[in-house]
Amino acid sequence: MSESGEFCPNCGDPIEVDRSTRAYPGAATRRERKLCDSCYFDRFDLVDAPERIEVRVCAQCGAVHRGNRWVDVGARDYTDVAIEEVSDALGVHVDADDVSWQVDPEQVDQNTIRMHSYFSGVVRGTVVEEDVTVPVKISRQTCTRCGRIAGDYYASTVQVRAVGRTPTAEETERAREIATEIVEEMEATGDRDAFVTDVSETEDGLDLKVSTTNIGKKIASKLIEEFGGDFSDSETLVTEDEDGNEVYRVTYAVRLPPFTPGDVIDPRDEGGPVLVRSVRSNLKGRRLTTGEPFELRFDDDDAPEPRKLGRVEDAEETTLVATEDEHAVQVLDPETYRTKTVARPDYLDVDADSVPVLKSRAGLHVLPDESRESG
């Protein structure tokens, strides 16, 4: 008779126990032992594996579909992805201890990887080994993001314009760069909804179509931060979603200032021309007649509208003939080559042989030597 007084319910053989511990070999409690070893191992499977696994991957960007979303893995060789999917799908018996395994992938064809897996573990004090082969099918599809890109999907448009002028090449190029930088930053955080749909030049400036309203607002804000000006937004109802909710597109209209650093303007205040240094928030610059700082608020409705006289790139080098007094010097007119008396700003080096000058409807004025680089 069995010392434990128990018999295997399957074959009827007595169940032995460890006399020193009064426990079954390899079992922590009596409840874990119901069948004898022979019957237990006849029914035992170390590994629970599916017959096959399908991995959905995006043929365009290489993303992998996991759960209910697409995940960027940055892979074109999906062997590592297949190993990870098999690892997640396999289940090891709860009674097994000290489990170890290795996998040997076999590339059958472009879309099939056969995963040969080898397991070992300790069950009831006995080493158990098992081989499992799971075919992994690579199903190439199109992810939501790539589908939207292919369909020219966009949620907002950033219109880059300027007051009274066309945006410069620097401004439009920077708008492109800002859009790319913002999208890359959002992609780095795992946001797969971030992309630029289209960039097109118009007679008035640049139009950027982007995937979300958040990106559009960030681009507009960054442009204003760097170049000054302001922007407004407007919504347009385009459709309803599957739940009946209204779907809008937002247009961000960016209005850059009428002037840019390096412009020479006449503020029409009898103080003389101004070399523009900055247009962020307010217009800031230097008087070409005295060298004194100048500032004009864009929202000052009482101030006359300044007019543009030229750019620092329009300046020409000419000879400094003589210094008349603390307020005037003589230079050669670069067009007539006649000596002309002009205002002497405080930045002028009276010991210089030549100076840059700009001739405009306001007259002849000396520019700062560094204006060509800063402009």
Side-chain angles (χ1 to χ4, degrees), residues 44-49 90-93 99 118-120 130-132:
F44 181 83
D45 288 320
L46 178 62
V47 181
D48 180 22
L90 295 176
V92 179
H93 200 289
V99 177
Y118 310 95
F119 289 81
S120 67
E130 190 168 334
D131 297 345
V132 177

Side-chain angles (χ1 to χ4, degrees), residues 155-171:
S156 67
T157 301
V158 181
Q159 297 177 337
V160 184
R161 305 291 188 266
V163 178
R165 63 181 179 87
T166 302
T168 65
E170 177 191 359
E171 290 167 337

Side-chain angles (χ1 to χ4, degrees), residues 113-337:
I113 302 173
R114 189 174 289 131
M115 307 299 295
H116 303 282
S117 304
Y118 310 95
F119 289 81
S120 67
V122 178
V123 180
R124 290 189 173 185
T126 301
V127 176
V128 180
E129 296 180 343
E130 190 168 334
D131 297 345
V132 177
T133 298
V134 181
V136 179
K137 176 70 175 179
I138 305 298
S139 176
R140 301 182 187 277
Q141 303 176 3
T142 300
C143 70
T144 305
R145 181 178 188 270
C146 291
R148 287 182 171 182
I149 293 175
D152 295 328
Y153 171 87
Y154 67 98
S156 67
T157 301
V158 181
Q159 297 177 337
V160 184
R161 305 291 188 266
V163 178
R165 63 181 179 87
T166 302
T168 65
E170 177 191 359
E171 290 167 337
T172 56
E173 181 60 28
R174 183 58 185 142
R176 295 172 186 262
E177 292 176 355
I178 289 173
T180 300
E181 290 169 0
I182 289 174
V183 166
E184 289 177 349
E185 289 172 0
M186 299 181 74
E187 285 179 336
T189 65
D191 187 349
R192 301 197 79 252
D193 292 330
F195 57 86
V196 177
T197 304
D198 182 66
V199 180
S200 59
E201 294 187 14
T202 70
E203 293 183 356
D204 302 322
L206 189 73
D207 287 350
L208 297 158
K209 293 181 179 179
V210 293
S211 58
T212 69
T213 56
N214 185 32
I215 295 174
K217 186 174 183 179
K218 285 186 174 184
I219 294 171
S221 299
K222 186 64 175 178
L223 278 169
I224 299 307
E225 177 186 332
E226 292 195 11
F227 295 107
D230 56 27
F231 73 88
S232 60
D233 60 79
S234 59
E235 293 183 339
T236 302
L237 177 64
V238 291
T239 187
E240 291 185 353
D241 63 18
E242 56 188 14
D243 296 324
N245 299 316
E246 295 180 336
V247 178
Y248 291 85
R249 284 188 179 138
V250 180
T251 297
Y252 295 95
V254 176
R255 294 174 295 274
L256 301 177
F259 307 109
T260 63
D263 282 344
V264 177
I265 65 169
D266 178 6
R268 301 187 182 185
D269 58 0
E270 300 183 355
V274 171
L275 173 61
V276 178
R277 293 296 196 185
S278 172
V279 289
R280 297 182 185 179
S281 302
N282 297 334
L283 186 150
K284 301 179 182 66
R286 296 181 76 176
R287 291 281 189 185
L288 298 185
T289 50
T290 63
E292 294 177 350
F294 172 86
E295 185 167 354
L296 174 68
R297 288 174 29 218
F298 286 116
D299 60 356
D300 187 353
D301 297 331
D302 295 330
E305 187 70 24
R307 62 181 178 179
K308 183 175 177 179
L309 299 175
R311 291 277 304 167
V312 293
E313 293 87 349
D314 302 328
E316 297 182 67
E317 200 75 16
T318 192
T319 302
L320 177 61
V321 178
T323 301
E324 291 191 354
D325 55 39
E326 60 181 2
H327 301 295
V329 293
Q330 291 182 345
V331 299
L332 286 183
D333 186 313
E335 293 182 359
T336 65
Y337 298 103

Side-chain angles (χ1 to χ4, degrees), residues 76-93:
R76 290 296 176 183
D77 177 2
Y78 292 103
T79 301
D80 290 340
V81 175
I83 293 174
E84 186 173 351
E85 294 293 328
V86 169
S87 300
D88 292 340
L90 295 176
V92 179
H93 200 289

